[in-house]
Amino acid sequence: MAESTRRILFSREQIATEIKRIGREISRDFQGQEVMLVGVLKGSFLFVADLIREIEIPTVIDFVRLASYGSDTQTSGIIEFRKELEMPIRDRNVIIVEDIVDSGYTLECLYNKLLLQEPRTLKICTLIDKTARREVPIEADYIGITMDDGFIIGYGLDHDEKYRNLPDIYLVEEN
Ligand code: IMP
Ligand code: MG
């Protein structure tokens, strides 16, 4: 990405609005119960931090760290677990919290692995649902913003580990 420009695609205000909505949806769906957020590091660290403060029911949190090998901007489908859960999820209402679903390989892999540990319910929450390059039929239960295609950075999302600190989400355009 030597020659590229970027422009704001999703503003911090839009992100905050959608996160408030998801927080309300989760609080409503699990009213009277407790939920466990499983943040997928690193990309979801800001999302999960903002989301948990919008949930009004008892909430616990844990993290996994996954890495998918691939080219510059595309996944290979080979997923490596670099950090496992620390808390048991059996009989809990578990919500996987992802930054973005693209091919779907990462989520499918994590979803199937967690399902084996017999949670009471297992839901998927993603800030961004990128639909154009989906390769496995996986659908999130809670979706912040849907987009077609394009590589984005900011608000936790990186390119080559950089730009996670940008408060808005930018579309990277190759020149
Ligand atoms: P998957 O293709 O659905 O397995 O997505 C794998 C991972 O690729 C996501 O969790 C992100 O970390 C990363 N990813 C996919 N699309 C983008 C993007 O547009 N910007 C930054 N990271 C992305
Ligand atoms: Mg990710």
Side-chain angles (χ1 to χ4, degrees):
M1 260 186 222
E3 288 292 309
S4 61
T5 52
R6 63 191 200 209
R7 63 176 173 87
I8 291 186
L9 189 62
F10 307 125
S11 68
R12 65 195 79 181
E13 292 82 13
Q14 184 180 359
I15 294 167
T17 300
E18 300 307 333
I19 293 175
K20 279 188 201 306
R21 172 182 53 78
I22 297 174
R24 282 196 304 272
E25 289 173 9
I26 291 172
S27 305
R28 181 198 62 208
D29 291 352
F30 292 95
Q31 199 169 20
Q33 303 177 63
E34 184 182 282
V35 292
M36 176 177 178
L37 302 184
V38 172
V40 182
L41 296 172
K42 300 177 192 173
S44 75
F45 77 108
L46 291 177
F47 178 36
V48 82
D50 285 339
L51 177 63
I52 197 168
R53 286 177 283 180
E54 300 295 341
I55 298 177
E56 292 175 347
I57 55 174
T59 303
V60 298
I61 190 165
D62 202 352
F63 294 93
V64 292
R65 164 101 171 94
L66 303 179
S68 62
Y69 290 100
S71 65
D72 202 19
T73 56
Q74 220 168 342
T75 180
S76 63
I78 300 167
I79 317 294
E80 183 195 4
F81 278 82
R82 293 196 184 158
K83 182 203 170 304
E84 302 280 342
L85 281 175
E86 290 167 19
M87 294 163 65
I89 64 168
R90 200 187 156 87
D91 285 332
R92 288 184 183 274
N93 297 311
V94 175
I95 304 175
I96 299 170
V97 182
E98 255 286 28
D99 51 357
I100 184 165
V101 187
D102 186 12
S103 70
Y105 284 125
T106 306
L107 256 184
E108 182 188 49
C109 175
L110 178 61
Y111 186 91
N112 290 334
K113 185 177 157 108
L114 296 190
L115 208 54
L116 293 175
Q117 297 171 38
E118 301 182 336
R120 183 186 305 160
T121 57
L122 184 57
K123 303 286 184 194
I124 295 170
C125 174
T126 187
L127 179 63
I128 308 290
D129 187 9
K130 190 157 81 176
T131 54
R133 291 191 296 181
R134 192 64 42 80
E135 291 186 31
V136 294
I138 195 147
E139 268 182 52
D141 303 279
Y142 304 99
I143 297 171
I145 302 168
T146 301
M147 65 182 284
D148 185 39
D149 202 2
F151 194 79
I152 56 177
I153 54 171
Y155 193 75
L157 290 155
D158 73 307
H159 178 247
D160 213 5
E161 291 299 329
K162 292 191 287 281
Y163 314 112
R164 295 191 195 274
N165 55 314
L166 299 175
D168 308 278
I169 293 179
Y170 292 77
L171 181 67
V172 178
E173 293 169 305
E174 305 275 344
N175 294 321

